């Protein structure tokens, strides 16, 4: 695995050299062969456990912990950073695209703030399953290459087996990364970071001066809109949309207290730490807008030396977020209902459907799958939807099934099934069903008879389900 250095040119305290802490007895639990093949990573099982636990390194590139700030549930923390993660470097794939390789749970760093720097096995397994599921659902996401058991106990409530996750991302540049440098008043580092992000993610931006960074913000906004619309298409609730968990690449990162919605309700919240429902399912668009506004604030020095004039130049982009999102959101509902285009009356049709789903506590995924299958006579429309469906069917045509099948998965990573697999790992260190489950999650838009047991929500609709951060 040939690694190259990333981020060390930005600023001295932005990428801080730090070695992972060795673990007692690393054992490979999960290995993502598809990702390994993409990145041309070749190693024996024993080498995998040693390298991706952080115990050994055959690279001349120094591992680093990245610094960043973050608005956490609206409260600003100027110095967060990788408190339990080490960026090993970046590796090039067969298309010469660079991918960051990061160990999570690899020990304390200069940013640890008193924590032990470790990760329990449960959150590690969750991140692996959920990121692979999101990839299968065609939602932009970071992925996991490996999960290695540490052979050590992590002292949580209750004590658990420790693990290290190897996370792969197109970059680890966050909104909080810009906040970190802006808070320090380091304009040259801020510009270096912005230029690095543009070169990596938005090379089409060729402009100079303030236009360059206005174009950058515009591109990031578009990526965030695409991401959140994708989340809402499949019923994903991130649970902790802090600015430090917002990648400027538009990929999903941090699968801590995330969950999938069962019964439809815009107010759905599963995260135990989101007591004010700040990151509820239906609030995610507003939070994405808010996070982009925080990025805009950080970019002020790059836009104009006078803050007022910089704000005047940036404001149209932030103020236009809602309209831009609504256009994408409207198109998403059209696709879920099989419409090639949008008609004026469609908003009312969608509103009526969502009211039925909420009033009758219908499952979000299965309802849209039911409507999709009904177009080919594979399934009868259930009673609560019959009257509404007469109006909907008038808007469908011969292309509707294909449009809907591409937008509506048959299968999502059901919370109760993910939890059951996690419990298996916590109790036995392995799972008998995970391999088959991961295969099914990579084909969520195709019906496989053997997957039927994984399609149904829990009996109570998951009303009492809670997720936890895992730190």
């Amino acid at each position: 695995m040939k690694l190259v250095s990333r981020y060390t040119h930005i600023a001295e305290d932005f990428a801080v050299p730090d070695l992972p802490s060795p673990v007692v007895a690393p054992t490979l639990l999960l290995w993502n062969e598809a990702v390994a093949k993409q990145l041309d990573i070749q190693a024996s099982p024993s080498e995998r456990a040693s390298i991706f636990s952080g115990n050994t390194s055959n690279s001349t590139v120094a591992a680093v912990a990245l610094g960043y700030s973050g608005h956490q549930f609206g409260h600003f923390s100027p110095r967060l950073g990788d408190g339990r993660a080490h960026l090993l470097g970046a590796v090039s794939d067969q298309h010469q695209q660079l991918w960051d390789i990061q160990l999570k749970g690899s020990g304390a760093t200069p940013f640890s703030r008193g924590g032990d720097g470790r990760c329990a096995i449960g959150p590690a397994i969750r991140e692996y399953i959920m990121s692979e599921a999101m990839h299968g659902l065609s939602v932009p996401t970071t992925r996991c290459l490996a999960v290695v058991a540490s052979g050590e106990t992590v002292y949580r409530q209750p004590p658990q087996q420790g693990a290290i996750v190897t996370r792969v991302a197109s970059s680890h540049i966050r909104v909080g990364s810009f906040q970190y440098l802006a808070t320090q008043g380091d304009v040259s580092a801020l510009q270096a970071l912005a230029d690095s992000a543009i070169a990596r993610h938005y090379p089409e931006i060729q402009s100079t001066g303030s236009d360059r960074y206005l174009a950058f913000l515009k591109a990031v906004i578009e990526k965030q809109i695409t991401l959140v619309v994708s989340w809402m298409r499949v019923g994903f609730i991130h649970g902790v949309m802090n600015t430090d968990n917002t990648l400027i690449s538009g990929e999903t990162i941090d699968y801590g207290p995330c969950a999938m919605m069962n019964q439809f309700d815009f107010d759905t919240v599963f995260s135990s730490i989101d007591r004010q429902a700040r990151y509820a399912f239906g609030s995610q668009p507003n939070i994405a807008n808010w996070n982009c506004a925080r990025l805009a604030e950080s970019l002020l020095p790059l836009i104009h030396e006078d803050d007022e004039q910089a704000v005047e130049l940036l404001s149209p982009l932030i103020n236009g977020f809602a309209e831009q999102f609504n256009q994408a959101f409207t198109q998403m509902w059209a696709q879920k209902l099989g419409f090639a285009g949008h008609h004026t009356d469609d908003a009312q049709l969608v509103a009526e459907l969502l009211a039925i789903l909420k009033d009758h506590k219908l499952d979000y995924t299965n309802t849209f799958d039911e409507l999709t299958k009904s177009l080919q006579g594979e399934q009868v429309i259930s009673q609560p939807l019959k009257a509404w469906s007469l109006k909907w069917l008038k808007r469908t045509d011969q292309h509707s099934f294909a449009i809907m099948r591409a937008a509506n998965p048959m299968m999502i990573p059901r919370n109760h099934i993910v939890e059951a697999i996690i419990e298996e790992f916590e109790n036995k260190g392995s799972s008998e069903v995970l391999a088959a489950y991961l295969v099914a999650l990579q084909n969520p838009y195709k019906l496989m008879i053997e997957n039927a047991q994984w399609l149904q929500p829990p009996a109570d609709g998951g009303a009492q389900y809670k997720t936890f951060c895992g730190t």
Side-chain angles (χ1 to χ4, degrees):
M1 183 172 65
K2 185 178 179 180
L3 295 168
V4 297
S5 181
R6 300 281 296 274
Y7 313 117
T8 52
H9 68 287
I10 302 297
E12 184 178 349
D13 61 346
F14 182 77
V16 180
D18 192 70
L19 291 175
S21 301
V23 297
V24 173
T27 305
L28 186 69
L29 294 180
L30 297 174
W31 179 254
N32 195 325
E33 189 59 40
V35 173
K37 184 177 180 180
Q38 176 192 350
L39 303 181
D40 194 27
I41 295 175
Q42 301 176 11
S44 67
S46 60
E47 290 174 325
R48 295 168 188 172
S50 183
I51 293 170
F52 297 108
S53 64
N55 271 23
T56 63
S57 173
N58 57 3
S59 174
T60 59
V61 174
V64 299
L66 296 180
Y68 46 83
S69 303
H71 273 92
Q72 300 186 306
F73 294 89
H75 302 287
F76 186 62
S77 296
R79 182 180 169 86
L80 293 172
D82 289 331
R84 55 172 179 155
H86 292 82
L87 185 71
L88 301 184
V91 63
S92 181
D93 67 13
Q94 57 264 51
H95 303 294
Q96 305 309 306
Q97 179 178 343
L98 286 174
W99 295 89
D100 283 357
I101 307 294
Q102 183 197 64
L103 302 183
K104 180 179 177 182
S106 47
T109 78
F111 298 103
S112 287
R113 305 179 301 281
D116 62 11
R118 295 305 189 184
C119 177
I121 192 172
I125 299 300
R126 181 189 306 281
E127 178 150 353
Y128 192 101
I129 295 173
M130 292 302 298
S131 60
E132 283 304 286
M134 294 287 270
H135 177 73
L137 289 165
S138 299
V139 176
T141 182
T142 56
R143 297 182 74 182
C144 291
L145 171 65
V147 176
V148 176
S150 66
E152 300 175 350
T153 299
V154 174
Y155 291 96
R156 303 293 187 264
Q157 292 294 333
Q160 298 177 33
Q161 180 182 350
I164 301 98
V165 183
T166 303
R167 177 190 281 164
V168 177
S170 62
S171 85
H172 281 80
I173 305 175
R174 310 157 186 259
V175 170
S177 305
F178 287 90
Q179 291 179 296
Y180 184 68
L181 297 174
T183 299
Q184 295 177 353
D186 194 339
V187 178
S188 61
L190 195 63
Q191 184 171 3
L193 180 62
D195 287 340
S196 178
I198 290 170
R200 176 64 192 85
H201 300 293
Y202 307 106
E204 68 277 8
I205 297 175
Q206 298 294 319
S207 53
T208 59
S210 62
D211 288 345
R212 178 174 178 80
Y213 305 111
L214 288 169
F216 169 60
L217 177 61
K218 181 176 184 293
V220 173
I221 287 172
E222 290 171 355
K223 287 281 191 178
Q224 291 302 313
I225 287 173
T226 298
L227 178 64
V228 175
V229 168
S230 296
W231 287 354
M232 300 188 78
R233 175 177 61 83
V234 300
F236 176 76
I237 305 168
H238 187 278
V240 61
M241 284 180 68
N242 299 328
T243 56
D244 53 294
N245 295 328
T246 302
L247 293 181
I248 57 90
S249 63
E251 295 170 322
T252 312
I253 192 170
D254 198 328
Y255 287 94
C258 70
M260 303 297 295
M261 182 169 63
N262 292 308
Q263 297 173 353
F264 172 79
D265 191 336
F266 278 124
D267 295 330
T268 301
V269 177
F270 291 118
S271 173
S272 62
I273 58 176
D274 192 4
R275 298 179 182 88
Q276 305 302 317
R278 177 180 174 86
Y279 302 140
F281 177 70
S283 298
Q284 294 179 130
N286 290 336
I287 293 300
N289 191 352
W290 194 89
N291 288 346
C292 286
R294 305 291 74 76
L295 175 61
E297 290 173 351
S298 300
L299 295 175
L300 286 175
L302 304 184
I303 304 301
H304 201 283
E305 60 184 13
D306 181 86
D307 281 357
E308 289 187 7
Q309 293 191 49
V311 169
E312 187 175 340
L313 291 168
L314 287 165
S315 291
L317 294 176
I318 297 301
N319 294 339
F321 184 104
E323 181 179 355
Q324 191 175 346
F325 182 90
N326 287 336
Q327 291 175 355
F329 200 47
T330 296
Q331 181 60 31
M332 181 269 283
W333 289 120
Q335 292 168 348
K336 286 184 75 68
L337 291 176
F339 307 155
H342 176 67
H343 290 183
T344 305
D345 295 339
D346 290 347
Q348 181 63 29
L349 195 64
V350 171
E352 290 176 7
L353 173 61
L354 298 184
I356 294 170
L357 264 66
K358 182 177 180 180
D359 291 345
H360 291 269
K361 298 183 177 180
L362 299 182
D363 185 79
Y364 184 66
T365 300
N366 289 354
T367 295
F368 279 98
D369 183 43
E370 173 187 321
L371 293 173
T372 302
K373 290 176 178 175
S374 74
L375 290 179
Q376 291 199 331
E378 299 175 16
Q379 191 162 333
V380 176
I381 294 176
S382 58
Q383 187 61 41
L385 297 169
K386 281 194 172 180
W388 172 87
S389 69
L390 298 177
K391 291 182 283 186
W392 164 64
L393 287 168
K394 292 178 181 178
R395 280 282 286 118
T396 61
D397 58 28
Q398 68 271 25
H399 304 294
S400 294
F401 176 80
I403 294 172
M404 293 181 72
R405 189 70 289 162
N408 298 316
M410 299 181 185
M411 179 177 177
I412 59 171
R414 294 287 181 179
N415 304 324
H416 65 294
I417 297 176
V418 174
E419 291 295 340
I421 293 172
I422 289 172
E423 186 175 355
E424 280 190 283
F425 271 94
E426 290 175 339
N427 293 334
K428 300 187 299 183
S430 64
S431 168
E432 296 177 359
V433 302
L434 179 58
Y437 192 56
L438 288 171
V439 170
L441 288 173
Q442 288 303 304
N443 297 278
Y445 299 94
K446 296 180 181 179
L447 178 62
M448 298 182 185
I449 300 300
E450 62 270 26
N451 298 345
Q453 75 273 23
W454 292 327
L455 304 184
Q456 296 304 315
D460 66 350
Q464 305 303 313
Y465 180 65
K466 290 292 181 184
T467 59
F468 301 87
C469 187
T471 56

